[in-house]
Amino acid sequence: MSILAQHKYPLSSKHHVYTCLSPCLRTRVHCLATTTTTTTKPRPNLDQLVIEPQLNPSQTLVTSPPSRPILNDPSLRSTWAHRAWVASGCTTVMISLAKSIMGAAESHMWLEPILASLVGYILADLGSGVYHWGIDNYGSASTPIFGAQIDAFQGHHKWPWTITRRQFANNLHALARAVTFTVLPMDLASNDPIFLAFVGVCSGCIMFSQQFHAWAHTTKSRLPALVIALQDMGLLVSRSQHADHHRSPYNNNYCIVSGVWNEFLDKQQVFEASEMILFFKLGVRPRSWSEPSSDWTEEIETSSQITAH
């Protein structure tokens, strides 16, 4: 039985019209019924009523699948340019901390810089979560400035163990470059020990967040005792806490410095609310709204890869 359009003539008793109204979802309705030779009026089989949602494909974020990593991948190695940027970033952070300590010693003011350092450490964890959420859910490899990191994080969801293969400077150089350009002018312009303490600790934690992230994917047998102790105390994000980020639905535990903000952000659904705002304002869907595909399903190391490592 087909669905008839509204007509000025009355419908016969042999036809039935079923409509499906929805304010936000376009549907296509198929009503399947069998005919009979008896005089009984045929009734549609409601069990065979099929509703197919028609989503606007323009609102779906499409990204290219990440490339499968290979053993001894040259892209995981550090170059001299990477090392130079990490050295530059570390020097910039040390200038902030050194000037803060000297200023505190001259003014005999220690409590305020220490408190500023603590605030910088806490806010660095929040900043790492916001940044991680953004590049996990929006953009692609072709996005200006952030494209390379977005592509790397998409591959990281597929093969998270590769971060433990990435060499130190290779892992940190992008953040170290950003720290150099943003923090060095502050070091030159300010002598305030409180401000410099905040800037030094916050920028240092952000720059090393990718190393903390790598440690959260490393087995305890391969970690230094000090790192294990800091993870157990909750001062660095631990493997057990970060593991939830790599489980479906992949929309929680984004913070990767200490993870102290994760519980609050997830319970208050801060990122979910932000995603709704961006969707209704810009029409952009985050990747976390889609069903996990093969590009987001984690693949573990093979026995040959573990042996080679």
Side-chain angles (χ1 to χ4, degrees):
M1 172 173 54
S2 62
I3 297 178
L4 300 180
Q6 187 175 5
H7 199 276
K8 65 180 180 179
Y9 298 105
L11 298 175
S12 69
S13 60
K14 295 182 180 180
H15 298 89
H16 302 271
V17 178
Y18 294 88
T19 59
C20 181
L21 301 179
S22 174
C24 59
L25 183 66
R26 292 180 296 159
T27 61
R28 184 172 59 201
V29 181
H30 305 277
C31 293
L32 305 179
T34 59
T35 58
T36 179
T37 58
T38 66
T39 58
T40 304
K41 183 171 65 174
R43 300 180 62 184
N45 186 350
L46 297 180
D47 293 336
Q48 296 182 358
L49 183 64
V50 181
I51 300 178
E52 299 179 0
Q54 304 294 310
L55 298 178
N56 188 347
S58 64
Q59 296 178 343
T60 303
L61 193 61
V62 179
T63 58
S64 58
S67 302
R68 182 180 182 85
I70 59 175
L71 291 176
N72 301 319
D73 189 345
S75 67
L76 302 179
R77 300 175 185 172
S78 298
T79 65
W80 285 110
H82 296 162
R83 297 184 182 97
W85 280 119
V86 171
S88 175
C90 290
T91 301
T92 301
V93 171
M94 292 303 298
I95 292 174
S96 297
L97 297 177
K99 291 184 68 174
S100 175
I101 293 172
M102 290 188 295
E106 292 176 358
S107 61
H108 303 287
M109 178 178 58
W110 295 102
L111 180 60
E112 291 85 349
I114 291 174
L115 292 177
S117 300
L118 180 60
V119 172
Y121 163 74
I122 294 173
L123 291 184
D125 187 59
L126 176 61
S128 73
V130 173
Y131 185 77
H132 190 178
W133 163 76
I135 62 177
D136 260 11
N137 286 284
Y138 300 99
S140 65
S142 60
T143 300
I145 301 176
F146 304 102
Q149 285 193 316
I150 293 171
D151 187 52
F153 267 73
Q154 294 311 297
H156 173 68
H157 273 273
K158 180 74 170 176
W159 302 285
W161 48 267
T162 57
I163 196 172
T164 66
R165 303 286 190 86
R166 194 175 293 277
Q167 293 182 350
F168 178 77
N170 183 295
N171 199 23
L172 268 61
H173 76 278
L175 292 173
R177 181 168 60 245
V179 166
T180 299
F181 285 125
T182 57
V183 176
L184 186 57
M186 300 180 191
D187 292 344
L188 299 176
S190 176
N191 292 314
D192 185 352
I194 300 175
F195 174 74
L196 291 173
F198 169 82
V199 169
V201 172
C202 185
S203 62
C205 288
I206 289 175
M207 185 174 69
F208 281 92
S209 63
Q210 271 296 82
Q211 186 58 47
F212 304 154
H213 186 191
W215 286 337
H217 284 280
T218 306
T219 57
K220 284 191 173 183
S221 61
R222 291 168 49 202
L223 288 175
L226 177 60
V227 172
I228 296 174
L230 293 174
Q231 288 180 340
D232 292 341
M233 289 187 292
L235 298 177
L236 294 181
V237 63
S238 65
R239 183 182 178 91
S240 59
Q241 184 186 50
H242 185 65
D244 288 338
H245 178 69
H246 289 272
R247 299 190 183 103
S248 179
Y250 309 100
N251 64 353
N252 53 56
N253 288 274
Y254 287 104
C255 300
I256 55 175
V257 174
S258 64
V260 69
W261 282 92
N262 282 327
E263 184 176 0
F264 172 81
L265 294 172
D266 295 339
K267 283 188 175 181
Q268 300 302 319
Q269 298 183 329
V270 173
F271 292 128
E272 287 85 347
S274 301
E275 290 165 359
M276 293 295 293
I277 293 172
L278 290 175
F279 176 70
F280 284 112
K281 292 292 185 181
L282 304 177
V284 180
R285 295 170 60 91
R287 274 182 283 269
S288 61
W289 287 11
S290 303
E291 287 295 327
S293 65
S294 60
D295 296 336
W296 278 72
T297 304
E298 177 179 341
E299 289 187 3
I300 62 174
E301 289 180 284
T302 63
S303 57
S304 60
Q305 289 170 327
I306 296 175
T307 302
H309 188 38

